[in-house]
């Protein structure tokens, strides 16, 4: 799948389209992985670029869990696509995140947390946190490689950087923690 998340989102024009596109959690996971790791998986703990996908057996078949383990011998951190990202805090299904992102990108003037809560069927505090986290995610993507240009997205000021957050693939490449 070589489509960027932006391309996928831009092809969704109606709510039923959206429901169809995001019904499958593992598909949502792949989309999000493409967004978070545009240049390949990066360990969020040490920045190492090699990791293995941890598998489970499901109906006799090996299936991905979305959980990865860093291959850096001194790290071995286990992570998913949302670990140490703004999306981690609420532990919502990925389809809810992607639907929220789509709704945000649909409206030129941003979307209120009240609207977001109604549309996604989540509580308003949850919607508020989601909006904040999504703006951070989008802002981060912009900061990384300018892939996303969305006007009017930053309602209520610029996204804040999280204190302990360092973008994947920046600065620590090739310097495994020792
Ligand atoms: Zn690591």
């Amino acid at each position: 799948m070589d489509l960027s998340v932006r391309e996928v989102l831009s092809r969704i024009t109606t709510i039923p389209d959206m429901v169809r596109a995001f019904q499958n959690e593992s598909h949502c996971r792949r989309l999000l992985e493409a967004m978070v790791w545009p240049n390949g998986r990066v360990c969020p703990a040490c920045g190492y670029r090699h990791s293995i996908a941890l598998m489970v057996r499901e109906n006799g078949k090996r299936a991905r869990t979305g959980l990865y383990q860093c291959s850096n011998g001194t790290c071995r951190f286990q992570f998913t696509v949302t670990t140490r990202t703004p999306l981690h805090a609420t532990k919502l299904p990925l389809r809810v995140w992607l639907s929220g992102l789509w709704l945000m990108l649909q409206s030129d003037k941003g979307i209120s947390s009240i609207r977001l809560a109604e549309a996604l069927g989540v509580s308003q505090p949850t919607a508020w946190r989601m909006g904040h986290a999504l703006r951070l995610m989008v802002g981060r993507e912009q900061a990384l490689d300018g892939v996303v240009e969305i006007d009017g997205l930053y309602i209520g000021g610029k996204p804040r950087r999280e204190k302990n957050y360092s973008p994947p693939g920046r600065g620590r490449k090739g310097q495994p923690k020792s």
Side-chain angles (χ1 to χ4, degrees):
M1 189 188 68
D2 290 322
L3 284 180
S4 75
V5 177
R6 280 271 290 171
E7 281 167 320
V8 171
L9 291 178
S10 71
R11 285 173 187 205
I12 299 170
T13 52
T14 65
I15 299 279
D17 280 353
M18 181 186 75
V19 171
R20 211 172 310 123
F22 301 150
Q23 63 186 331
N24 178 324
E25 193 72 0
S26 70
H27 178 64
C28 289
R29 180 172 298 283
R30 284 201 298 277
L31 278 176
L32 232 110
E33 289 181 351
M35 178 177 174
V36 173
W37 296 314
N39 304 311
R41 224 153 51 218
V42 181
C43 170
C46 72
Y48 202 62
R49 290 188 160 269
H50 299 280
S51 53
I52 51 161
L54 301 178
M55 313 288 269
V56 285
R57 278 204 169 274
E58 226 172 54
N59 307 321
K61 277 198 280 183
R62 275 158 64 77
R64 282 176 177 247
T65 54
L67 188 65
Y68 303 99
Q69 185 175 44
C70 179
S71 299
N72 176 359
T74 57
C75 178
R76 302 279 179 215
F77 186 67
Q78 291 191 351
F79 57 95
T80 71
V81 67
T82 56
T83 301
R84 299 196 184 174
T85 74
L87 303 193
H88 196 57
T90 63
K91 310 229 191 296
L92 291 164
L94 299 181
R95 73 183 151 74
V96 176
W97 282 115
L98 284 169
S99 305
L101 182 62
W102 180 75
L103 285 165
M104 266 177 66
L105 300 182
Q106 285 299 298
S107 47
D108 294 339
K109 301 220 159 76
I111 183 167
S112 73
S113 53
I114 298 171
R115 248 322 263 123
L116 206 57
E118 280 171 3
L120 299 176
V122 299
S123 74
Q124 213 185 307
T126 298
W128 187 87
R129 285 199 302 276
M130 277 185 78
H132 181 68
L134 286 170
R135 280 186 288 273
L136 274 173
M137 286 297 280
V138 172
R140 184 172 102 173
E141 207 177 300
Q142 260 170 339
L144 280 181
D145 44 26
V147 179
V148 182
E149 322 105 23
I150 303 137
D151 291 327
L153 194 60
Y154 298 128
I155 305 299
K158 290 222 164 223
R160 269 182 302 153
R161 285 237 169 257
E162 274 190 331
K163 230 209 232 143
N164 296 321
Y165 176 71
S166 59
R170 278 283 166 100
R172 301 205 201 159
K173 194 162 89 176
Q175 298 166 28
K177 202 171 61 178
S178 55

